[in-house]
Amino acid sequence: GQNIDQPTEMTATEGAIVQINCTYQTSGFNGLFWYQQHAGEAPTFLSYNVLDGLEEKGRFSSFLSRSKGYSYLLLKELQMKDSASYLCAVKDSNYQLIWGAGTKLIIKP
Amino acid sequence: GAVVSQHPSWVICKSGTSVKIECRSLDFQATTMFWYRQFPKQSLMLMATSNEGSKATYEQGVEKDKFLINHASLTLSTLTVTSAHPEDSSFYICSASPPSSENTEAFFGQGTRLTVV
């Protein structure tokens, strides 16, 4: 079966750095996505990785290793507004998005 | 980015009634739209793929007679929850992508919080 694993919840301090990991086992691979979702709202796109390596976009960076089935989302200079759930999703061989359960990130002052 | 609009953002209905949710792509044409359901503290679950001008494709375990999908135009897909019951209470979200970015990003509607009482 297809599976995406990410931690259920993480806590970090305002101004610090946090890394959210994601491992996947899917039938084929056509890209990995990270989305941010605030409670009661729809997800918003953060990043897309299809090749190995690090993609940096402002305070957020995303890393992919296809051989290890592994990705992480790195958030720097954490702000209170970064408190949200972060969803990892993979497009499989049929270009269907397979979603992880999400990691709830709690930012403390 | 592209804009997907979903309406209503929340609805409360009585058990046994039907509820229609609309999903519109405002600045692009979408031959395919996706309908998801999300229960509290759970992942997004794909319910069905809506195809313009043809029948929707439903995921295993999703009752097509209960969740009616119509994709009559390139900018509008509707999901009708028929004979709603309390267990249908959930957060329903649609998504679509412009042809230029359909492999790299999904754009989501605002979501619809359905409560069946």
Side-chain angles (χ1 to χ4, degrees):
Chain A
Q2 309 204 89
N3 194 47
I4 295 184
D5 289 315
Q6 51 182 132
T8 303
E9 186 174 299
M10 298 182 71
T11 302
T13 304
E14 189 177 16
I17 299 173
V18 70
Q19 177 174 313
I20 303 174
N21 296 324
C22 170
T23 58
Y24 63 89
Q25 300 92 39
T26 56
S27 56
F29 178 83
N30 281 299
L32 185 143
F33 301 76
W34 283 97
Y35 280 82
Q36 181 190 61
Q37 187 178 25
H38 286 98
E41 299 180 9
T44 55
F45 173 80
L46 291 178
S47 68
Y48 168 72
N49 294 69
V50 67
L51 299 176
D52 291 351
L54 187 68
E55 295 281 343
E56 297 185 79
K57 190 185 295 185
R59 294 190 299 116
F60 293 3
S61 302
S62 57
F63 171 83
L64 173 68
S65 169
R66 289 172 295 170
S67 62
K68 295 182 179 178
Y70 167 70
S71 172
Y72 67 73
L73 179 70
L74 191 72
L75 293 77
K76 302 177 183 177
E77 301 170 16
L78 286 170
Q79 302 174 9
M80 297 303 293
K81 67 178 182 179
D82 296 330
S83 292
S85 287
Y86 290 86
L87 307 175
C88 174
V90 172
K91 276 201 175 181
D92 66 9
S93 56
N94 295 319
Y95 289 92
Q96 179 168 316
L97 272 173
I98 310 300
W99 293 87
T103 298
K104 182 179 181 180
L105 178 63
I106 300 169
I107 310 295
K108 295 185 175 180
Chain B
V3 179
V4 176
S5 177
Q6 190 173 338
H7 177 81
S9 55
W10 61 270
V11 58
I12 301 173
C13 71
K14 290 184 177 180
S15 187
T17 61
S18 296
V19 173
K20 180 185 283 188
I21 303 170
E22 294 186 347
C23 180
R24 294 180 186 272
S25 55
L26 297 187
D27 52 0
F28 65 96
Q29 294 183 333
T31 55
T32 303
M33 292 185 175
F34 301 90
W35 287 97
Y36 293 88
R37 180 167 54 185
Q38 186 177 35
F39 292 106
K41 299 184 179 182
Q42 293 188 22
S43 180
L44 291 168
M45 294 181 59
L46 180 65
M47 298 176 65
T49 302
S50 173
N51 304 298
E52 188 270 336
S54 64
K55 292 182 178 180
T57 304
Y58 290 82
E59 295 301 302
Q60 191 172 10
V62 179
E63 301 174 58
K64 60 182 179 182
D65 293 331
K66 180 172 182 62
F67 298 98
L68 301 179
I69 291 174
N70 185 294
H71 195 154
S73 78
L74 287 170
T75 59
L76 173 65
S77 175
T78 60
L79 169 67
T80 301
V81 183
T82 63
S83 186
H85 291 286
E87 57 265 31
D88 299 323
S89 298
S90 186
F91 191 51
Y92 293 85
I93 313 175
C94 69
S95 79
S97 299
S100 60
S101 61
E102 61 187 1
N103 289 333
T104 58
E105 184 173 351
F107 295 90
F108 289 87
Q110 302 92 322
T112 298
R113 174 74 59 191
L114 170 64
T115 303
V116 184
V117 298

